[in-house]
Each structure stands twice: as C-alpha cells, then as structure tokens.
Amino acid sequence: MAPYLKPVELQLRQRLSRPGDPLDHVCFIESGLASMSIESRDGVLQEIRIIGQEGLIGHSALLGSQQWAYVTVVQIEGVGLEVPVKALVDSLDLPDIRAFFHHYVHVCDVELAETALAAAKYTMRQRLARWLLMCEDRIDSDYLPLTHDSLARSLGVRRAGITDQLHVLEGEHVIRSTRRMVRILDRSMLVHIAGGCYGAPKEAYERLLGDHHEPANGTLLPGVAEPALVRAAPVYRSMTA
C-alpha cells in the first residue's frame, strides 16, 4: 500500500468532496480537521461529523460506495495522505486490515448516533462543550484555531449564541477565547458540562482500535498509547507498508 500513499495539503475551507462526485480516493488526515456535512435538496448544510488524525475522509468506500454522499470541508488546515479506493479495497483481503476498518466504520456510526442525540436532547452549552472536546481529541492540542462563525456553522446555531456561551465558559475559567482561537483550560470541566452527549465514540475507538488487539496470526497490530485516540493513518501505514 505504501507506494499508493500521496501526501496532500489540506487548505482552510478547501472543499474535499461533493455529493454525487465519484468516490475514487480517500484521505487519511495526519494533521488538521475536516467537517463532514449533509446537504438537503434545497441547499441547507448541517455538520454531522468531524474528522481529524484519528480517521479518514471517505469511509463509505469501505462499504462499497462509489459516490460521495456528503460535503467535506477543511476546518483546520493540515496535511493528509490520499490513497486510491481500489488500493484501499484490495487491502481488505487481509483479515487484520479488514477487521480494523470494520471497527472504524462502527465507530463512525456511533459518532453519528451521538451527534443526533446531542442535537435533539442537549442544550447549546452542552453541545458546544462536546464539540470543543471532540476537536481537541482530533488535533491533539488544547489550542483550537476556530472562529465564532465556524463554531456556529458546525452546531447549526446563531453566531451570537456561540459568542454568549464562549463568554460564559471563559468567565468560568474553562476556556480562553480570542477572535480566531479557543484554548481549553479545564478539560475535566468541559467533560462535566457536556454530560451524557460526549464520550461514546471515543470509548468505542479506544476499545476497538486502541491498545491493543492480537490477531489470530499472533502479530500485534501497532498502535499509539498517547494521545488517547489511536492515529488511524500511522496505524494503517504500519500495517500496509
């Protein structure tokens, strides 16, 4: 697989996929953050997942999809590794890799379900706390280069509401917010605020993809103990080199 991996730059606001376009490659994120959104027939967008160094853009290719179903846009610039879908699918003939990616698809489903739950049953304050935690998990930094506008779009709420909630969190010494940066000061308090709408996908990721699984052939799948989320792209490169 290594010969097929192509380094790519992920530029801020770059659109990486559009519904209906051919799904001929996927991209493992090495750094940065991408936002995956569903688009209605009348052009309304709503974010449903964020993807960082723990995952890949185009996971539906693992299920045999040949077209993009979502809009994917770079939210924090970084770098990635593109690989042709054919090379990815061919690698699934290896049982260990197939099991790894089946587990990853399951984690994606858990995240989608938790996002729906958060949108339906939890407050803006709780959803904002959840989103900041998920962002920190995916970029491995408590400095989050985000604007109030981008946060409002991600959560599907008014910018003024996000600004108010950030000011409250700042007053509680949970974060520090500037025009283009949010710094997390007290992660444990954010977890407390998010309550039951944060953590299920992270726990599933660590349980299924983290430290670690021993396949039938006795070869230990490589992984990263820190940060808590296993970096899928390095793991994938190690397994397919």
Side-chain angles (χ1 to χ4, degrees):
M1 179 62 66
Y4 297 100
L5 293 168
K6 175 186 175 183
V8 293
E9 292 187 6
L10 304 175
Q11 299 178 348
L12 185 64
R13 301 187 186 91
Q14 178 184 356
R15 183 166 288 202
L16 302 174
S17 70
R18 296 174 175 84
D21 284 355
L23 178 48
D24 53 14
H25 69 275
V26 300
C27 182
F28 294 91
I29 296 184
E30 292 280 83
S31 64
L33 190 77
S35 171
M36 191 174 89
S37 300
I38 187 73
E39 184 174 16
S40 69
R41 292 183 178 180
D42 55 355
V44 176
L45 284 172
Q46 178 54 53
E47 181 182 280
I48 56 174
R49 286 189 63 221
I50 54 175
I51 308 161
Q53 61 187 11
E54 90 297 343
L56 75 156
I57 300 167
H59 75 280
S60 58
L62 297 165
L63 303 175
S65 178
Q66 297 179 344
Q67 289 186 334
W68 291 98
Y70 305 107
V71 175
T72 310
V73 177
V74 176
Q75 196 155 358
I76 297 175
E77 62 186 14
V79 296
L81 292 167
E82 278 190 357
V83 62
V85 165
K86 185 182 185 306
L88 174 69
V89 171
D90 287 348
S91 75
L92 300 181
D93 290 339
L94 301 174
D96 295 344
I97 295 180
R98 182 169 63 249
F100 177 87
F101 283 115
H102 284 177
H103 288 157
Y104 176 73
V105 171
H106 171 74
V107 172
C108 293
D109 287 343
V110 173
E111 183 181 342
L112 288 171
E114 188 181 76
T115 297
L117 175 66
K121 299 295 184 180
Y122 287 80
T123 66
M124 186 195 306
R125 171 178 167 87
Q126 291 172 306
R127 291 168 57 209
L128 175 59
R130 172 184 182 262
W131 201 97
L132 294 174
L133 289 164
M134 291 173 62
C135 183
E136 182 186 35
D137 291 338
R138 283 153 179 77
I139 69 171
D140 190 26
S141 174
D142 53 14
Y143 286 87
L144 315 179
L146 303 165
T147 66
H148 295 195
D149 283 335
S150 66
L151 285 168
R153 286 193 299 270
S154 293
L155 295 178
V157 298
R158 295 172 58 248
R159 182 187 184 281
I162 289 294
T163 299
D164 290 344
Q165 292 299 324
L166 288 174
H167 286 164
V168 171
L169 291 173
E170 194 165 23
E172 296 170 335
H173 306 291
V174 178
I175 66 166
R176 179 168 297 161
S177 177
T178 60
R179 185 180 178 187
R180 297 184 180 274
M181 183 71 66
V182 176
R183 181 187 178 192
I184 296 177
L185 302 177
D186 190 339
R187 179 182 171 89
S188 63
M189 182 56 70
L190 271 184
V191 172
H192 174 74
I193 293 169
C197 72
Y198 169 74
K202 184 175 186 295
E203 291 170 4
Y205 201 113
E206 292 171 344
R207 174 170 53 84
L208 294 172
L209 304 175
D211 250 25
H212 246 332
H213 304 73
E214 189 163 349
N217 63 10
T219 302
L220 191 66
L221 291 181
V224 181
E226 295 293 339
L229 289 176
V230 177
R231 291 188 174 100
V235 171
Y236 186 62
R237 287 206 311 277
S238 297
M239 289 194 296
T240 57

